[in-house]
Amino acid sequence: MNEQPIRILAIPGSLRRDSYNTMLLEAARRLAPSPIEVDVFDGAGQIPLFNQDSEGELTPGTVLELRARIRAADAVLIASPEYNGSITGVLKNLIDWASRPYGQSAFEGKPVSVIGASPSRFGALRSQETTIGVLTSAQATVVGGPHPVKQVFRLVDPEGRIGDPATLSMLRDVLAELSSAVTLDV
């Protein structure tokens, strides 16, 4: 019996080339058991700043693509650092665009999990809490979390991969939670 794939769109909240949070999402992609497929979104840097004057016919193509990819996914996994004790501007901007226009949120009813890594001893916890609140306002169905990854610089191997067993176990659990939320929704 062929199982239908469970498509998870993974969105990093950082534009940094060597982002720890993108490393987390890449680790999730590698760990994903069949039938889960993780697609890491790499277009956050092309999303312009949100401007309500650009809604409707003036909506940028990059935003239309983002919304389409979120809608096509069965679930979303967000990994983001913490800037100044809160959500990154990149991630907030992306969620703002995806949740517009009012009443047409691409996140509506979509299972979403939030994880985050930082070099601090808090593991981007405040960012995750804020992001969960923003996603709830955007009508997402937040699954589990937060999932802080503390002092992430200690968890990266020389090849730039996260190999820490506890972190990989957490990622497996998050993927399982998202998968369960999708199959319950079907």
Side-chain angles (χ1 to χ4, degrees):
M1 177 171 131
N2 286 341
E3 291 184 78
Q4 290 285 16
I6 297 172
R7 299 168 316 239
I8 297 175
L9 181 63
I11 300 175
S14 173
L15 301 179
R16 196 168 67 85
R17 182 181 66 243
D18 295 324
S19 164
Y20 293 123
N21 287 280
T22 301
M23 289 178 196
L24 274 177
L25 295 175
E26 287 295 339
R29 184 184 58 73
R30 286 190 305 276
L31 288 170
S34 183
I36 299 172
E37 298 173 357
V38 177
D39 176 27
V40 180
F41 180 71
D42 64 356
Q46 284 71 53
I47 305 292
L49 292 175
F50 176 74
N51 180 344
Q52 193 171 2
D53 290 339
S54 296
E55 285 187 321
E57 293 180 13
L58 300 176
T59 301
T62 53
V63 172
L64 296 174
E65 178 188 345
L66 167 68
R67 291 175 183 163
R69 287 183 68 184
I70 292 170
R71 285 187 175 108
D74 296 308
V76 176
L77 174 60
I78 294 173
S80 184
E82 180 174 293
Y83 293 171
N84 296 313
S86 190
I87 189 172
T88 67
V90 169
L91 183 55
K92 179 66 167 71
N93 185 57
L94 190 144
I95 294 170
D96 287 346
W97 271 117
S99 67
R100 301 291 301 181
Y102 179 77
Q104 297 178 35
S105 176
F107 286 109
E108 184 174 354
K110 187 77 56 181
V112 181
S113 285
V114 180
I115 61 178
S118 84
S120 79
R121 58 190 171 100
F122 301 108
L125 180 62
R126 292 174 295 190
S127 172
Q128 291 175 68
E129 292 170 342
T130 303
T131 301
I132 288 168
V134 172
L135 287 164
T136 300
S137 293
Q139 301 175 316
T141 301
V142 178
V143 177
H147 301 282
V149 178
K150 305 168 186 176
Q151 298 184 329
V152 66
F153 60 91
R154 298 175 188 264
L155 310 178
V156 177
D157 68 22
E159 285 80 41
R161 291 182 168 195
I162 305 225
D164 172 62
T167 302
L168 297 178
S169 178
M170 178 273 295
L171 289 172
R172 284 186 194 94
D173 290 346
V174 168
L175 292 172
E177 287 175 342
L178 279 172
S179 177
S180 292
V182 168
T183 56
L184 290 175
D185 207 32
V186 172

